[in-house]
Amino acid sequence: MSERASVPKEEDETEPETEQEPVTTGAQSVIRALENAGTDYVFGVQGGAIMPVYDALYDSDINHVTMAHEQGASHAADAYGIVTGDPGVCFATSGPGATNLVTGIADANMDSDPVIALTGQVPTEFVGNDAFQETDTVGITQPITKESYFAADSDTVGDDVSEAFALADAGRQGPTLVDLPKDVTQGETEVEPGAPETPETYEVPEEADDENVQEAAEALAEADRPVILSGGGVIKANASSALREFAKEYEIPVITTMPGIGSFPEDHELSLEWAGMHGTGYANMAITNTDCMLAIGTRFDDRLTGGVDSFAPDAEVIHVDIDPAEISKNVYADYPLIGDAREVLRQLFDAMPRVPDADEWRDQCQVWKDEYPMDYDTPDDEPLKPQYVVEKFSDVTPDDTIVCTGVGQHQMWASQFWEYTEPRTWVSSHGLGTMGYGVPAAIGAKLAAPDQEVVCFDGDGSFLMTVQGLSVAVREQLDITYVVLNNEAVGMVRQWQDGFYEGRRMASEYPWIPQFDKLAEAFGARGFTLESYENVEETIQEARDYDGPSVIDAHIDPGENVFPMVPSGGDNGQFALNEDHLDMI
Amino acid sequence: MPGPAPDERMRPKGRRNTQGIRVDPEAEVTHEPRQAVLSALVKHRPGVLSEVSALFSRRQFNIESLTVGPTVDDDTARMTILIEEPEPGIDQAKKQLRKLVPVISVRELEGEAVRRELALVKVSGEKPDDVNAVADMYNGQAVDASTDSVTVEITGSKQKIDAAIEAFKQFDVQEIVRTGAAALERGPKTLEKDV
Ligand SMILES: Cc1ncc(C[n+]2csc(CCOP(=O)(O)OP(=O)(O)O)c2C)c(N)n1
Ligand SMILES: [Mg+2]
């Protein structure tokens, strides 16, 4: 059971198990494999090579959401996977359908999100002939999946799908793909797919070695300046409650990574929020000055570490990860603990000899909170500040509200100025940094959690990349509020140009921006415009009240920048709090 | 508003090296690249070779040779991979290899493992007797001869083959092909059973 903020009411548990028809084709066994794995939703787009699979879906109880673009299908599946904890499923046809999925697959791979992609392929006898809509889908996706399968036979194609499903979910989650030649799905078979099982060569560690745990616990208890760095793996492992118990019992300040947002409540005294390029000053000070870091489920991405030479330079690192290849990949682990985050946290909880004697350090962390507060000015005579919009929205929504984003400045403001307290409520594109993630991700998130409010903060640039997804949100009557923090620019690029390219704003400003409220109305959604501070609360309320997708086109200060900022490859302790600081470091 | 500017903030003295290892001022650790022979048992199925070679190129592991061939079991193949990397890189390569689904097991062979490579060298046929004499010196043999050319086969360690090729250069080498290393652990140890 995943640690969702709120779990939907009993799902058809009372419904009697209906007798299933035996399968007769490869396609039916593909669908049967998905049914057996508990699939509720599939996101996809039709096409020639995948038609037999869709035909088999006709008779299934699985819901299909027809997307406007396959990129949206893979992002929606990704968000569905993040929110539910179970693999999200997407379909596409061969050739362009499959290549359109690629961005979402790569995104899921970078963020370890559980996704299974099923792609149509030309019939086996045409493979290699450059047939119509033939692409080497397995070849293209092999490096960006846990495994890509080429289905060879109607009798085994169901097993391929079962295995791919299990693999996407097992251990360190991630995307898998099964390429389905049309003759294989069309071909006759009576073979029912087996239960979802991971391949025999795939091992999933559970508990960490006891002796190592003991040594790590001693080191942490001995520390003068201990911190916990909680990564996305904590959420993926449903270890957020274990983390909370551990941190509170041993009174250790908690920093999260961006994907780890929500693993620890940001309103708790021990929380320093998140560290990295645009992380809080206090998190970055703590991460720089700690002498012992318990890092859990993080791959020490460079946006988190800055330059490794100056990353936590005094710290002994205890690294908990389910993937042995992450240990000492970017940052050397003095105490490697390979295992499931929840299990290892329990082991550590029992092994800790005492609360670390670190009162002074805890006080210091509070001092940094006072020294580097996350605040901003809202002068009346200046355009609307994006931070204000995010904060106002956060104030009025329930704790379990899910926030999705595009990529850019707006994403950073949404992560900085919204207060996250629950796991699986922050749905964003981290490792790949995919503009356009927001619109379809919100669709996947809303279907995954129909009882939770879903808000998507998007940028004008990101929104335009996948805006066609609004047609899906309208058709499916999804109650999502999109807030476009509109700075008429690809603002993050503009910020870098101003900071590091002498203000030479090449291809970063959009003087041709459409009216997003009108665009929303054209799609059949509700459109709103925000120009000033006056009606922010009221507009938010109206958009939330509207039962269906709405878009708030918030015209924000085009000159606003994201701070704090650690320049790329820099020292986390040397963050800039304003433009002038950027010149100093 | 905000507290101390960047240049006024407290900063620890420590540092890490490029491999993320804390630099101990007393005894700085640096890892020089070294050669390692990795032996991997893999599922014998289409795409495995490209999966493994793509992994090595994508992660920028410095690879010298990669050979693949069947084993006693029809379902498995064995790959022998020579890489040159500093210690952490070798460790990463092993771990990344193990993560690939078709990879069954991976081991680094010890220094004294049996390592053999085969080379075919085609040289001018003008002085067949001299060619044979050099081939003898390296325990090689002529496997094909025509009026214009002689092809010699040599097996052995990389160093031996390098030396042989050097020696053959006097006969106008026309073509060379080398297999890359195949290697097995000495003694009863195998990849399946760690004895
Ligand atoms: C698909 C894609 N293309 C390009 C980029 C590079 N990029 C990163 S942030 C950014 C600006 C995004 O603009 P917008 O969505 O308006 O967000 P803002 O920064 O203005 O809030 C760009 C172009 C990217 N991350 N993804
Ligand atoms: Mg913008």
mmCIF file with all atom_site columns, all heavy atoms in Angstrom, chain A residues 196-217:
data_model
loop_
_atom_site.group_PDB
_atom_site.id
_atom_site.type_symbol
_atom_site.label_atom_id
_atom_site.label_alt_id
_atom_site.label_comp_id
_atom_site.label_asym_id
_atom_site.label_entity_id
_atom_site.label_seq_id
_atom_site.pdbx_PDB_ins_code
_atom_site.Cartn_x
_atom_site.Cartn_y
_atom_site.Cartn_z
_atom_site.occupancy
_atom_site.B_iso_or_equiv
_atom_site.pdbx_formal_charge
_atom_site.auth_seq_id
_atom_site.auth_comp_id
_atom_site.auth_asym_id
_atom_site.auth_atom_id
_atom_site.pdbx_PDB_model_num
ATOM 1   N N   . PRO A 1 196 ? 2.606  -11.331 -12.736 1.00 0.00 ? 196 PRO A N   1
ATOM 2   C CA  . PRO A 1 196 ? 3.746  -10.422 -12.889 1.00 0.00 ? 196 PRO A CA  1
ATOM 3   C C   . PRO A 1 196 ? 4.917  -10.854 -12.008 1.00 0.00 ? 196 PRO A C   1
ATOM 4   O O   . PRO A 1 196 ? 4.801  -10.861 -10.786 1.00 0.00 ? 196 PRO A O   1
ATOM 5   C CB  . PRO A 1 196 ? 3.197  -9.069  -12.423 1.00 0.00 ? 196 PRO A CB  1
ATOM 6   C CG  . PRO A 1 196 ? 1.729  -9.217  -12.309 1.00 0.00 ? 196 PRO A CG  1
ATOM 7   C CD  . PRO A 1 196 ? 1.428  -10.680 -12.179 1.00 0.00 ? 196 PRO A CD  1
ATOM 8   N N   . GLU A 1 197 ? 5.996  -11.250 -12.640 1.00 0.00 ? 197 GLU A N   1
ATOM 9   C CA  . GLU A 1 197 ? 7.187  -11.643 -11.879 1.00 0.00 ? 197 GLU A CA  1
ATOM 10  C C   . GLU A 1 197 ? 8.413  -11.002 -12.492 1.00 0.00 ? 197 GLU A C   1
ATOM 11  O O   . GLU A 1 197 ? 8.539  -10.940 -13.707 1.00 0.00 ? 197 GLU A O   1
ATOM 12  C CB  . GLU A 1 197 ? 7.346  -13.167 -11.921 1.00 0.00 ? 197 GLU A CB  1
ATOM 13  C CG  . GLU A 1 197 ? 6.677  -13.854 -10.757 1.00 0.00 ? 197 GLU A CG  1
ATOM 14  C CD  . GLU A 1 197 ? 6.740  -15.361 -10.889 1.00 0.00 ? 197 GLU A CD  1
ATOM 15  O OE1 . GLU A 1 197 ? 7.749  -15.864 -11.418 1.00 0.00 ? 197 GLU A OE1 1
ATOM 16  O OE2 . GLU A 1 197 ? 5.776  -16.008 -10.467 1.00 0.00 ? 197 GLU A OE2 1
ATOM 17  N N   . THR A 1 198 ? 9.317  -10.575 -11.635 1.00 0.00 ? 198 THR A N   1
ATOM 18  C CA  . THR A 1 198 ? 10.534 -9.967  -12.171 1.00 0.00 ? 198 THR A CA  1
ATOM 19  C C   . THR A 1 198 ? 11.414 -11.042 -12.782 1.00 0.00 ? 198 THR A C   1
ATOM 20  O O   . THR A 1 198 ? 11.345 -12.203 -12.382 1.00 0.00 ? 198 THR A O   1
ATOM 21  C CB  . THR A 1 198 ? 11.327 -9.245  -11.066 1.00 0.00 ? 198 THR A CB  1
ATOM 22  O OG1 . THR A 1 198 ? 11.477 -10.162 -9.982  1.00 0.00 ? 198 THR A OG1 1
ATOM 23  C CG2 . THR A 1 198 ? 10.625 -8.007  -10.593 1.00 0.00 ? 198 THR A CG2 1
ATOM 24  N N   . PRO A 1 199 ? 12.260 -10.652 -13.750 1.00 0.00 ? 199 PRO A N   1
ATOM 25  C CA  . PRO A 1 199 ? 13.143 -11.641 -14.353 1.00 0.00 ? 199 PRO A CA  1
ATOM 26  C C   . PRO A 1 199 ? 14.060 -12.273 -13.313 1.00 0.00 ? 199 PRO A C   1
ATOM 27  O O   . PRO A 1 199 ? 14.393 -11.642 -12.311 1.00 0.00 ? 199 PRO A O   1
ATOM 28  C CB  . PRO A 1 199 ? 13.956 -10.832 -15.366 1.00 0.00 ? 199 PRO A CB  1
ATOM 29  C CG  . PRO A 1 199 ? 13.551 -9.415  -15.232 1.00 0.00 ? 199 PRO A CG  1
ATOM 30  C CD  . PRO A 1 199 ? 12.395 -9.322  -14.329 1.00 0.00 ? 199 PRO A CD  1
ATOM 31  N N   . GLU A 1 200 ? 14.449 -13.512 -13.551 1.00 0.00 ? 200 GLU A N   1
ATOM 32  C CA  . GLU A 1 200 ? 15.253 -14.236 -12.546 1.00 0.00 ? 200 GLU A CA  1
ATOM 33  C C   . GLU A 1 200 ? 16.612 -13.582 -12.310 1.00 0.00 ? 200 GLU A C   1
ATOM 34  O O   . GLU A 1 200 ? 17.200 -13.739 -11.253 1.00 0.00 ? 200 GLU A O   1
ATOM 35  C CB  . GLU A 1 200 ? 15.438 -15.690 -12.986 1.00 0.00 ? 200 GLU A CB  1
ATOM 36  C CG  . GLU A 1 200 ? 16.019 -15.747 -14.387 1.00 0.00 ? 200 GLU A CG  1
ATOM 37  C CD  . GLU A 1 200 ? 16.143 -17.157 -14.961 1.00 0.00 ? 200 GLU A CD  1
ATOM 38  O OE1 . GLU A 1 200 ? 15.633 -18.096 -14.349 1.00 0.00 ? 200 GLU A OE1 1
ATOM 39  O OE2 . GLU A 1 200 ? 16.773 -17.266 -16.029 1.00 0.00 ? 200 GLU A OE2 1
ATOM 40  N N   . THR A 1 201 ? 17.089 -12.828 -13.302 1.00 0.00 ? 201 THR A N   1
ATOM 41  C CA  . THR A 1 201 ? 18.402 -12.193 -13.136 1.00 0.00 ? 201 THR A CA  1
ATOM 42  C C   . THR A 1 201 ? 18.317 -10.884 -12.351 1.00 0.00 ? 201 THR A C   1
ATOM 43  O O   . THR A 1 201 ? 19.325 -10.225 -12.141 1.00 0.00 ? 201 THR A O   1
ATOM 44  C CB  . THR A 1 201 ? 19.021 -11.862 -14.503 1.00 0.00 ? 201 THR A CB  1
ATOM 45  O OG1 . THR A 1 201 ? 18.057 -11.105 -15.255 1.00 0.00 ? 201 THR A OG1 1
ATOM 46  C CG2 . THR A 1 201 ? 19.381 -13.113 -15.269 1.00 0.00 ? 201 THR A CG2 1
ATOM 47  N N   . TYR A 1 202 ? 17.116 -10.488 -11.963 1.00 0.00 ? 202 TYR A N   1
ATOM 48  C CA  . TYR A 1 202 ? 16.944 -9.192  -11.310 1.00 0.00 ? 202 TYR A CA  1
ATOM 49  C C   . TYR A 1 202 ? 16.766 -9.376  -9.814  1.00 0.00 ? 202 TYR A C   1
ATOM 50  O O   . TYR A 1 202 ? 15.782 -9.936  -9.357  1.00 0.00 ? 202 TYR A O   1
ATOM 51  C CB  . TYR A 1 202 ? 15.733 -8.480  -11.907 1.00 0.00 ? 202 TYR A CB  1
ATOM 52  C CG  . TYR A 1 202 ? 15.594 -7.041  -11.460 1.00 0.00 ? 202 TYR A CG  1
ATOM 53  C CD1 . TYR A 1 202 ? 16.384 -6.042  -12.021 1.00 0.00 ? 202 TYR A CD1 1
ATOM 54  C CD2 . TYR A 1 202 ? 14.686 -6.679  -10.473 1.00 0.00 ? 202 TYR A CD2 1
ATOM 55  C CE1 . TYR A 1 202 ? 16.269 -4.732  -11.616 1.00 0.00 ? 202 TYR A CE1 1
ATOM 56  C CE2 . TYR A 1 202 ? 14.565 -5.361  -10.060 1.00 0.00 ? 202 TYR A CE2 1
ATOM 57  C CZ  . TYR A 1 202 ? 15.361 -4.400  -10.645 1.00 0.00 ? 202 TYR A CZ  1
ATOM 58  O OH  . TYR A 1 202 ? 15.249 -3.093  -10.237 1.00 0.00 ? 202 TYR A OH  1
ATOM 59  N N   . GLU A 1 203 ? 17.734 -8.911  -9.058  1.00 0.00 ? 203 GLU A N   1
ATOM 60  C CA  . GLU A 1 203 ? 17.660 -9.082  -7.608  1.00 0.00 ? 203 GLU A CA  1
ATOM 61  C C   . GLU A 1 203 ? 17.282 -7.779  -6.925  1.00 0.00 ? 203 GLU A C   1
ATOM 62  O O   . GLU A 1 203 ? 17.778 -6.724  -7.273  1.00 0.00 ? 203 GLU A O   1
ATOM 63  C CB  . GLU A 1 203 ? 19.014 -9.525  -7.059  1.00 0.00 ? 203 GLU A CB  1
ATOM 64  C CG  . GLU A 1 203 ? 19.233 -11.011 -7.197  1.00 0.00 ? 203 GLU A CG  1
ATOM 65  C CD  . GLU A 1 203 ? 20.672 -11.385 -6.856  1.00 0.00 ? 203 GLU A CD  1
ATOM 66  O OE1 . GLU A 1 203 ? 21.239 -10.756 -5.938  1.00 0.00 ? 203 GLU A OE1 1
ATOM 67  O OE2 . GLU A 1 203 ? 21.199 -12.284 -7.528  1.00 0.00 ? 203 GLU A OE2 1
ATOM 68  N N   . VAL A 1 204 ? 16.393 -7.872  -5.961  1.00 0.00 ? 204 VAL A N   1
ATOM 69  C CA  . VAL A 1 204 ? 15.999 -6.679  -5.220  1.00 0.00 ? 204 VAL A CA  1
ATOM 70  C C   . VAL A 1 204 ? 16.441 -6.827  -3.766  1.00 0.00 ? 204 VAL A C   1
ATOM 71  O O   . VAL A 1 204 ? 15.940 -7.677  -3.041  1.00 0.00 ? 204 VAL A O   1
ATOM 72  C CB  . VAL A 1 204 ? 14.478 -6.467  -5.271  1.00 0.00 ? 204 VAL A CB  1
ATOM 73  C CG1 . VAL A 1 204 ? 14.098 -5.227  -4.482  1.00 0.00 ? 204 VAL A CG1 1
ATOM 74  C CG2 . VAL A 1 204 ? 14.004 -6.340  -6.707  1.00 0.00 ? 204 VAL A CG2 1
ATOM 75  N N   . PRO A 1 205 ? 17.397 -6.009  -3.350  1.00 0.00 ? 205 PRO A N   1
ATOM 76  C CA  . PRO A 1 205 ? 17.829 -6.088  -1.961  1.00 0.00 ? 205 PRO A CA  1
ATOM 77  C C   . PRO A 1 205 ? 16.745 -5.555  -1.022  1.00 0.00 ? 205 PRO A C   1
ATOM 78  O O   . PRO A 1 205 ? 15.980 -4.681  -1.402  1.00 0.00 ? 205 PRO A O   1
ATOM 79  C CB  . PRO A 1 205 ? 19.057 -5.185  -1.917  1.00 0.00 ? 205 PRO A CB  1
ATOM 80  C CG  . PRO A 1 205 ? 18.980 -4.311  -3.110  1.00 0.00 ? 205 PRO A CG  1
ATOM 81  C CD  . PRO A 1 205 ? 18.075 -4.947  -4.108  1.00 0.00 ? 205 PRO A CD  1
ATOM 82  N N   . GLU A 1 206 ? 16.660 -6.112  0.163   1.00 0.00 ? 206 GLU A N   1
ATOM 83  C CA  . GLU A 1 206 ? 15.673 -5.600  1.122   1.00 0.00 ? 206 GLU A CA  1
ATOM 84  C C   . GLU A 1 206 ? 16.344 -4.971  2.332   1.00 0.00 ? 206 GLU A C   1
ATOM 85  O O   . GLU A 1 206 ? 16.422 -3.771  2.440   1.00 0.00 ? 206 GLU A O   1
ATOM 86  C CB  . GLU A 1 206 ? 14.714 -6.723  1.523   1.00 0.00 ? 206 GLU A CB  1
ATOM 87  C CG  . GLU A 1 206 ? 13.740 -6.984  0.384   1.00 0.00 ? 206 GLU A CG  1
ATOM 88  C CD  . GLU A 1 206 ? 12.825 -8.152  0.620   1.00 0.00 ? 206 GLU A CD  1
ATOM 89  O OE1 . GLU A 1 206 ? 12.718 -8.617  1.769   1.00 0.00 ? 206 GLU A OE1 1
ATOM 90  O OE2 . GLU A 1 206 ? 12.219 -8.603  -0.363  1.00 0.00 ? 206 GLU A OE2 1
ATOM 91  N N   . GLU A 1 207 ? 16.868 -5.827  3.228   1.00 0.00 ? 207 GLU A N   1
ATOM 92  C CA  . GLU A 1 207 ? 17.538 -5.263  4.399   1.00 0.00 ? 207 GLU A CA  1
ATOM 93  C C   . GLU A 1 207 ? 19.011 -5.032  4.100   1.00 0.00 ? 207 GLU A C   1
ATOM 94  O O   . GLU A 1 207 ? 19.619 -5.770  3.336   1.00 0.00 ? 207 GLU A O   1
ATOM 95  C CB  . GLU A 1 207 ? 17.413 -6.237  5.565   1.00 0.00 ? 207 GLU A CB  1
ATOM 96  C CG  . GLU A 1 207 ? 16.017 -6.307  6.103   1.00 0.00 ? 207 GLU A CG  1
ATOM 97  C CD  . GLU A 1 207 ? 15.978 -6.957  7.473   1.00 0.00 ? 207 GLU A CD  1
ATOM 98  O OE1 . GLU A 1 207 ? 17.007 -7.503  7.899   1.00 0.00 ? 207 GLU A OE1 1
ATOM 99  O OE2 . GLU A 1 207 ? 14.922 -6.902  8.105   1.00 0.00 ? 207 GLU A OE2 1
ATOM 100 N N   . ALA A 1 208 ? 19.560 -4.031  4.739   1.00 0.00 ? 208 ALA A N   1
ATOM 101 C CA  . ALA A 1 208 ? 20.992 -3.795  4.600   1.00 0.00 ? 208 ALA A CA  1
ATOM 102 C C   . ALA A 1 208 ? 21.740 -4.688  5.586   1.00 0.00 ? 208 ALA A C   1
ATOM 103 O O   . ALA A 1 208 ? 21.170 -5.167  6.570   1.00 0.00 ? 208 ALA A O   1
ATOM 104 C CB  . ALA A 1 208 ? 21.301 -2.331  4.868   1.00 0.00 ? 208 ALA A CB  1
ATOM 105 N N   . ASP A 1 209 ? 22.991 -4.896  5.303   1.00 0.00 ? 209 ASP A N   1
ATOM 106 C CA  . ASP A 1 209 ? 23.850 -5.697  6.162   1.00 0.00 ? 209 ASP A CA  1
ATOM 107 C C   . ASP A 1 209 ? 23.864 -5.121  7.594   1.00 0.00 ? 209 ASP A C   1
ATOM 108 O O   . ASP A 1 209 ? 24.122 -3.927  7.789   1.00 0.00 ? 209 ASP A O   1
ATOM 109 C CB  . ASP A 1 209 ? 25.260 -5.667  5.572   1.00 0.00 ? 209 ASP A CB  1
ATOM 110 C CG  . ASP A 1 209 ? 26.218 -6.485  6.394   1.00 0.00 ? 209 ASP A CG  1
ATOM 111 O OD1 . ASP A 1 209 ? 26.278 -7.689  6.152   1.00 0.00 ? 209 ASP A OD1 1
ATOM 112 O OD2 . ASP A 1 209 ? 26.896 -5.897  7.283   1.00 0.00 ? 209 ASP A OD2 1
ATOM 113 N N   . ASP A 1 210 ? 23.560 -5.993  8.563   1.00 0.00 ? 210 ASP A N   1
ATOM 114 C CA  . ASP A 1 210 ? 23.404 -5.539  9.943   1.00 0.00 ? 210 ASP A CA  1
ATOM 115 C C   . ASP A 1 210 ? 24.624 -4.838  10.514  1.00 0.00 ? 210 ASP A C   1
ATOM 116 O O   . ASP A 1 210 ? 24.512 -3.842  11.230  1.00 0.00 ? 210 ASP A O   1
ATOM 117 C CB  . ASP A 1 210 ? 23.052 -6.723  10.851  1.00 0.00 ? 210 ASP A CB  1
ATOM 118 C CG  . ASP A 1 210 ? 21.543 -6.859  10.992  1.00 0.00 ? 210 ASP A CG  1
ATOM 119 O OD1 . ASP A 1 210 ? 20.857 -5.813  10.956  1.00 0.00 ? 210 ASP A OD1 1
ATOM 120 O OD2 . ASP A 1 210 ? 21.053 -8.005  11.103  1.00 0.00 ? 210 ASP A OD2 1
ATOM 121 N N   . GLU A 1 211 ? 25.781 -5.410  10.187  1.00 0.00 ? 211 GLU A N   1
ATOM 122 C CA  . GLU A 1 211 ? 27.011 -4.836  10.727  1.00 0.00 ? 211 GLU A CA  1
ATOM 123 C C   . GLU A 1 211 ? 27.224 -3.410  10.195  1.00 0.00 ? 211 GLU A C   1
ATOM 124 O O   . GLU A 1 211 ? 27.585 -2.499  10.940  1.00 0.00 ? 211 GLU A O   1
ATOM 125 C CB  . GLU A 1 211 ? 28.201 -5.705  10.310  1.00 0.00 ? 211 GLU A CB  1
ATOM 126 C CG  . GLU A 1 211 ? 29.131 -6.032  11.448  1.00 0.00 ? 211 GLU A CG  1
ATOM 127 C CD  . GLU A 1 211 ? 30.085 -7.136  11.031  1.00 0.00 ? 211 GLU A CD  1
ATOM 128 O OE1 . GLU A 1 211 ? 29.711 -8.330  11.153  1.00 0.00 ? 211 GLU A OE1 1
ATOM 129 O OE2 . GLU A 1 211 ? 31.168 -6.796  10.527  1.00 0.00 ? 211 GLU A OE2 1
ATOM 130 N N   . ASN A 1 212 ? 26.959 -3.255  8.891   1.00 0.00 ? 212 ASN A N   1
ATOM 131 C CA  . ASN A 1 212 ? 27.095 -1.922  8.293   1.00 0.00 ? 212 ASN A CA  1
ATOM 132 C C   . ASN A 1 212 ? 26.117 -0.941  8.923   1.00 0.00 ? 212 ASN A C   1
ATOM 133 O O   . ASN A 1 212 ? 26.449 0.226   9.153   1.00 0.00 ? 212 ASN A O   1
ATOM 134 C CB  . ASN A 1 212 ? 26.825 -1.971  6.786   1.00 0.00 ? 212 ASN A CB  1
ATOM 135 C CG  . ASN A 1 212 ? 27.913 -2.721  6.044   1.00 0.00 ? 212 ASN A CG  1
ATOM 136 O OD1 . ASN A 1 212 ? 28.912 -3.110  6.631   1.00 0.00 ? 212 ASN A OD1 1
ATOM 137 N ND2 . ASN A 1 212 ? 27.704 -2.929  4.754   1.00 0.00 ? 212 ASN A ND2 1
ATOM 138 N N   . VAL A 1 213 ? 24.914 -1.425  9.183   1.00 0.00 ? 213 VAL A N   1
ATOM 139 C CA  . VAL A 1 213 ? 23.902 -0.568  9.798   1.00 0.00 ? 213 VAL A CA  1
ATOM 140 C C   . VAL A 1 213 ? 24.395 -0.107  11.166  1.00 0.00 ? 213 VAL A C   1
ATOM 141 O O   . VAL A 1 213 ? 24.307 1.070   11.527  1.00 0.00 ? 213 VAL A O   1
ATOM 142 C CB  . VAL A 1 213 ? 22.557 -1.319  9.941   1.00 0.00 ? 213 VAL A CB  1
ATOM 143 C CG1 . VAL A 1 213 ? 21.587 -0.525  10.807  1.00 0.00 ? 213 VAL A CG1 1
ATOM 144 C CG2 . VAL A 1 213 ? 21.946 -1.586  8.568   1.00 0.00 ? 213 VAL A CG2 1
ATOM 145 N N   . GLN A 1 214 ? 24.958 -1.054  11.913  1.00 0.00 ? 214 GLN A N   1
ATOM 146 C CA  . GLN A 1 214 ? 25.451 -0.750  13.249  1.00 0.00 ? 214 GLN A CA  1
ATOM 147 C C   . GLN A 1 214 ? 26.518 0.339   13.202  1.00 0.00 ? 214 GLN A C   1
ATOM 148 O O   . GLN A 1 214 ? 26.460 1.318   13.951  1.00 0.00 ? 214 GLN A O   1
ATOM 149 C CB  . GLN A 1 214 ? 26.014 -2.035  13.872  1.00 0.00 ? 214 GLN A CB  1
ATOM 150 C CG  . GLN A 1 214 ? 26.114 -2.004  15.371  1.00 0.00 ? 214 GLN A CG  1
ATOM 151 C CD  . GLN A 1 214 ? 24.772 -1.741  16.042  1.00 0.00 ? 214 GLN A CD  1
ATOM 152 O OE1 . GLN A 1 214 ? 23.774 -2.393  15.732  1.00 0.00 ? 214 GLN A OE1 1
ATOM 153 N NE2 . GLN A 1 214 ? 24.733 -0.752  16.942  1.00 0.00 ? 214 GLN A NE2 1
ATOM 154 N N   . GLU A 1 215 ? 27.463 0.156   12.284  1.00 0.00 ? 215 GLU A N   1
ATOM 155 C CA  . GLU A 1 215 ? 28.555 1.137   12.180  1.00 0.00 ? 215 GLU A CA  1
ATOM 156 C C   . GLU A 1 215 ? 28.028 2.507   11.778  1.00 0.00 ? 215 GLU A C   1
ATOM 157 O O   . GLU A 1 215 ? 28.457 3.542   12.295  1.00 0.00 ? 215 GLU A O   1
ATOM 158 C CB  . GLU A 1 215 ? 29.581 0.675   11.141  1.00 0.00 ? 215 GLU A CB  1
ATOM 159 C CG  . GLU A 1 215 ? 30.469 -0.439  11.650  1.00 0.00 ? 215 GLU A CG  1
ATOM 160 C CD  . GLU A 1 215 ? 31.390 -0.990  10.572  1.00 0.00 ? 215 GLU A CD  1
ATOM 161 O OE1 . GLU A 1 215 ? 31.572 -0.306  9.533   1.00 0.00 ? 215 GLU A OE1 1
ATOM 162 O OE2 . GLU A 1 215 ? 31.906 -2.107  10.758  1.00 0.00 ? 215 GLU A OE2 1
ATOM 163 N N   . ALA A 1 216 ? 27.081 2.500   10.835  1.00 0.00 ? 216 ALA A N   1
ATOM 164 C CA  . ALA A 1 216 ? 26.514 3.770   10.371  1.00 0.00 ? 216 ALA A CA  1
ATOM 165 C C   . ALA A 1 216 ? 25.786 4.466   11.506  1.00 0.00 ? 216 ALA A C   1
ATOM 166 O O   . ALA A 1 216 ? 25.914 5.678   11.701  1.00 0.00 ? 216 ALA A O   1
ATOM 167 C CB  . ALA A 1 216 ? 25.573 3.516   9.199   1.00 0.00 ? 216 ALA A CB  1
ATOM 168 N N   . ALA A 1 217 ? 25.033 3.693   12.282  1.00 0.00 ? 217 ALA A N   1
ATOM 169 C CA  . ALA A 1 217 ? 24.268 4.269   13.390  1.00 0.00 ? 217 ALA A CA  1
ATOM 170 C C   . ALA A 1 217 ? 25.210 4.895   14.421  1.00 0.00 ? 217 ALA A C   1
ATOM 171 O O   . ALA A 1 217 ? 24.955 5.986   14.939  1.00 0.00 ? 217 ALA A O   1
ATOM 172 C CB  . ALA A 1 217 ? 23.388 3.203   14.027  1.00 0.00 ? 217 ALA A CB  1
#
